[in-house]
Amino acid sequence: MEFSVKSGSPEKQRSACIVVGVFEPRRLSGTAEQLDEISEGYISNLLRKGDLEGKSGQMLLLHHVPNILSERVLLVGCGKERELDERQYRQIITKTINTLNETGSMEAVCFLSELHVKGRDIYWKVRQAVEAAQDGLYSFDSLKTRKAEARRPLRKIIFNVPTRRELPIGERAVTHALAISEGITTCKNVANMPPNICNPAYLAEQAKILENDYDNVTTTIIGEKEMEELGMGSYLAVGRGSVNESLMSIIKYDGAADDSKPLVLVGKGLTFDSGGISLKPGLGMDEMKYDMGGAAGVLGAMHALAELQLPINVIGILAGCENMPSSNAYRPGDILTTMSGQTVEVLNTDAEGRLVLCDALTYVERFNPDAVIDVATLTGACVVALGAHATGLLSSHNPLAHELLNASEQSGDRAWRLPLWDDYQDQLESPFADFTNLGGKEAGTITAACFLSKFTKKYNWAHLDIAGTAWRGGKNKGSTGRPVSMLTQFLLNRSGQEQGE
Ligand code: BES
Ligand code: MN
Ligand code: ZN
């Protein structure tokens, strides 16, 4: 899909379709008004007859509107004008794009980017529109032998901005959105891939592709032999039950001088989490192919970053591993020595994510990071606490937590902070080792983060629990591409390039 911005009046457009908003009840937006005037009341007449009320998401496609140069006019219901919020705006755009895609317009000029959304500027509206469009058009069909192809798919969409002065801001929004959408697509493609194809080696291959595609990206892969030498006893234990070798990819993006401290992103990459000897119940177990969603998110953010060529140094880690039961698998009761030297008593082999991440988090100390953010589908408890809407954010460093919350607010990729007080640490006490990998039934998301916090004392650190947000279950099963948007926004902000200037 091609996207661009322009600034023009609706009656002058010569396009396959022109898209304008109608508010509830039957109230024309400014641009719809302009079309109405030139067509001598054609649109208001239809509304009076009851063809469109203006409820949010309603669509009415018109052909041959008198005196209009464009072939079609798509009227889009936008709900009550004062109530148009961010979520509704995105939903309206998604629906519009799907309608255009299914009704033969291969190109369209969209004036919905001019609607007033409370507290949001033109940069935000254009960027969200492009991201929503790309998100809506995504499908994962590379493994279907019969693909559903639209007959005359939408190829190009132009978003209108109110004045010429806003063109550069709009263009910048398109550039940012396209890079982020590319990252999101990368994330979705790798996350949706089945676990018999997407194993740790496949993850590592994806990391290598980034190295091949961008001059300032280098990827190093660490296998089990090197992990042994590094003393990553905990990471190795989790992968021991699988015939697929554990592989950790280190993706290094150089955008600034060597002495500029890097940001480090660490993604949990369990390409399948069966639970191991503490086997999970069968129902819905297929969804544990998404347990590499953290790694997919990091890969996607690195892709967006490389596309944007931001002037910062960033290192992305994909901690690839598979958790399987076997006679060789690690067991409840085992005591592991982590790379940090601290020992862990395993009480449940299904609490494996923290065991992989802790060694990856110790490993990254060597980069002398400015900040480390780990991203993980870590706890079912996070799904209970926050559902599918917000990513859990836990951090021992307030400024970093606020930066991430800001990025989530700006990008619309929401996060919500949970506490990380020392009071919770007691739940990890072990009679035999330094601590256990299980915090009991209360506050599971927090105790998991408490576990990680024991390995992140040497730098500023934040943890994102994406267990509820990384994928959708049910009928529309699939990766959401989260939290690529939030992470990329954070990187944009760190580069001082957050807005239209
Ligand atoms: N990958 C799961 C967490 C998960 C579960 C994410 C469901 C999304 C949906 C993780 O490895 C896990 O199994 N966690 C356990 C931890 C428990 C044993 C302390 C959980 O949440 O039940
Ligand atoms: Mn698990
Ligand atoms: Zn897991």
Side-chain angles (χ1 to χ4, degrees):
M1 260 281 271
E2 207 187 308
F3 295 90
S4 59
V5 285
K6 78 168 168 196
S7 181
S9 50
E11 71 277 9
K12 298 220 179 91
Q13 306 306 315
R14 198 182 280 280
S15 168
C17 189
I18 148 160
V19 182
V20 294
V22 175
F23 297 110
E24 197 182 345
R26 303 181 300 279
R27 283 198 35 245
L28 300 176
S29 64
T31 41
E33 190 86 56
Q34 280 170 274
L35 293 181
D36 192 49
E37 257 166 51
I38 201 139
S39 66
E40 292 161 8
Y42 185 84
I43 296 175
S44 47
N45 226 336
L46 284 176
L47 297 193
R48 219 169 301 123
K49 287 188 193 146
D51 287 42
L52 186 80
E53 184 62 22
K55 285 198 193 316
S56 183
Q58 266 188 317
M59 302 274 151
L60 184 64
L61 185 61
L62 310 175
H63 292 83
H64 309 299
V65 178
N67 307 327
I68 300 290
L69 304 172
S70 292
E71 286 170 49
R72 306 172 185 82
V73 172
L74 180 62
L75 300 181
V76 176
C78 297
K80 300 221 169 70
E81 184 165 11
R82 295 244 221 101
E83 288 173 10
L84 181 61
D85 63 8
E86 297 155 0
R87 197 164 67 103
Q88 240 173 20
Y89 176 77
R90 265 190 86 113
Q91 280 171 355
I92 287 167
I93 298 282
T94 305
K95 241 182 147 174
T96 299
I97 301 292
N98 287 336
T99 303
L100 290 170
N101 201 37
E102 286 160 9
T103 51
S105 297
M106 297 183 76
E107 171 207 42
V109 183
C110 179
F111 284 82
L112 300 178
S113 41
E114 290 189 10
L115 296 173
H116 180 75
V117 182
K118 236 195 353 232
R120 296 302 191 177
D121 57 9
I122 193 72
Y123 170 87
W124 186 91
K125 286 185 281 187
V126 173
R127 190 173 125 190
Q128 289 291 321
V130 175
E131 284 187 38
Q134 295 288 63
D135 186 63
L137 293 171
Y138 176 85
S139 70
F140 182 72
D141 58 7
S142 60
L143 300 174
K144 278 191 188 280
T145 56
R146 266 180 285 163
K147 304 185 205 303
E149 301 259 354
R151 206 173 55 83
R152 282 168 60 82
L154 184 63
R155 289 264 157 77
K156 179 167 187 196
I157 183 150
I158 300 161
F159 290 105
N160 208 74
V161 298
T163 66
R164 296 191 59 77
R165 216 165 42 89
E166 281 143 320
L167 281 174
I169 298 173
E171 274 154 17
R172 199 173 177 83
V174 172
T175 307
H176 288 178
L178 284 177
I180 292 168
S181 296
E182 255 192 68
I184 288 175
T185 300
T186 297
C187 171
K188 287 177 178 175
N189 282 344
V190 60
N192 284 329
M193 202 53 88
N196 59 327
I197 295 174
C198 179
N199 53 29
Y202 183 90
L203 265 190
E205 270 169 46
Q206 306 312 302
K208 275 284 178 196
I209 290 175
L210 226 46
E211 170 179 67
N212 292 337
D213 288 353
Y214 298 94
D215 284 343
N216 57 346
V217 173
T218 30
T219 297
T220 320
I221 314 288
I222 285 188
E224 292 185 352
K225 190 164 155 283
E226 291 103 318
M227 289 187 195
E228 207 83 61
E229 286 158 16
L230 288 160
M232 302 174 99
S234 176
Y235 191 151
L236 279 167
V238 175
R240 228 173 37 220
S242 171
V243 291
N244 295 315
E245 186 184 5
S246 295
L247 295 167
M248 182 169 82
S249 312
I250 298 132
I251 308 166
K252 205 158 159 279
Y253 168 86
D254 295 313
D258 285 350
D259 60 355
S260 161
K261 285 171 136 198
L263 295 165
V264 177
L265 308 175
V266 179
K268 171 177 172 183
L270 266 289
T271 59
F272 191 70
D273 175 17
S274 68
I277 297 297
S278 314
L279 194 64
K280 284 182 182 294
L283 191 70
M285 208 206 269
D286 66 292
E287 293 188 10
M288 280 299 120
K289 72 171 184 178
Y290 289 116
D291 211 19
M292 37 61 77
V298 169
L299 180 72
M302 295 304 288
H303 188 163
L305 164 71
E307 199 54 36
L308 291 164
Q309 286 293 310
L310 299 180
I312 46 177
N313 290 331
V314 184
I315 294 169
I317 308 276
L318 317 185
C321 187
E322 187 178 43
N323 187 20
M324 295 293 258
S326 95
S327 68
N328 199 33
Y330 80 131
R331 347 161 173 63
D334 284 1
I335 292 183
L336 313 174
T337 302
T338 64
M339 184 177 173
S340 72
Q342 303 176 95
T343 56
V344 185
E345 183 188 11
V346 177
L347 292 185
N348 188 320
T349 63
D350 198 12
E352 85 298 337
R354 62 199 77 182
L355 295 173
V356 169
L357 287 173
C358 71
D359 280 347
L361 287 168
T362 302
Y363 179 84
V364 302
E365 282 173 7
R366 69 191 51 215
F367 301 121
N368 188 23
D370 189 49
V372 178
I373 301 161
D374 78 79
V375 189
T377 49
L378 203 63
T379 62
C382 194
V383 192
V384 175
L386 299 174
H389 305 295
T391 291
L393 164 65
L394 297 102
S395 176
S396 45
H397 192 251
N398 284 327
L400 182 59
H402 287 127
E403 270 186 272
L404 284 164
L405 287 173
N406 271 339
S408 84
E409 170 59 29
Q410 287 168 282
S411 60
D413 185 356
R414 283 151 140 183
W416 195 258
R417 192 172 180 187
L418 297 173
L420 193 58
W421 298 316
D422 278 342
D423 311 53
Y424 294 96
Q425 295 280 358
D426 299 352
Q427 287 175 238
L428 296 171
E429 274 172 16
S430 161
F432 307 120
D434 295 342
F435 39 86
T436 75
N437 76 332
L438 198 64
K441 66 177 191 302
E442 291 175 354
T445 303
I446 299 173
T447 53
C450 281
F451 181 96
L452 298 178
S453 76
K454 296 175 184 296
F455 300 86
T456 59
K457 301 236 185 289
K458 302 215 169 115
Y459 44 71
N460 300 330
W461 163 74
H463 162 64
L464 297 175
D465 195 329
I466 57 167
T469 52
W471 79 92
R472 258 183 306 270
K475 183 156 83 11
N476 292 320
K477 190 182 285 182
S479 164
T480 58
R482 293 176 71 178
V484 171
S485 194
M486 183 205 316
L487 289 174
T488 313
Q489 186 65 52
F490 170 77
L491 299 176
L492 277 166
N493 293 354
R494 275 288 177 126
S495 319
Q497 300 200 2
E498 60 267 42
Q499 278 293 315
E501 267 81 71

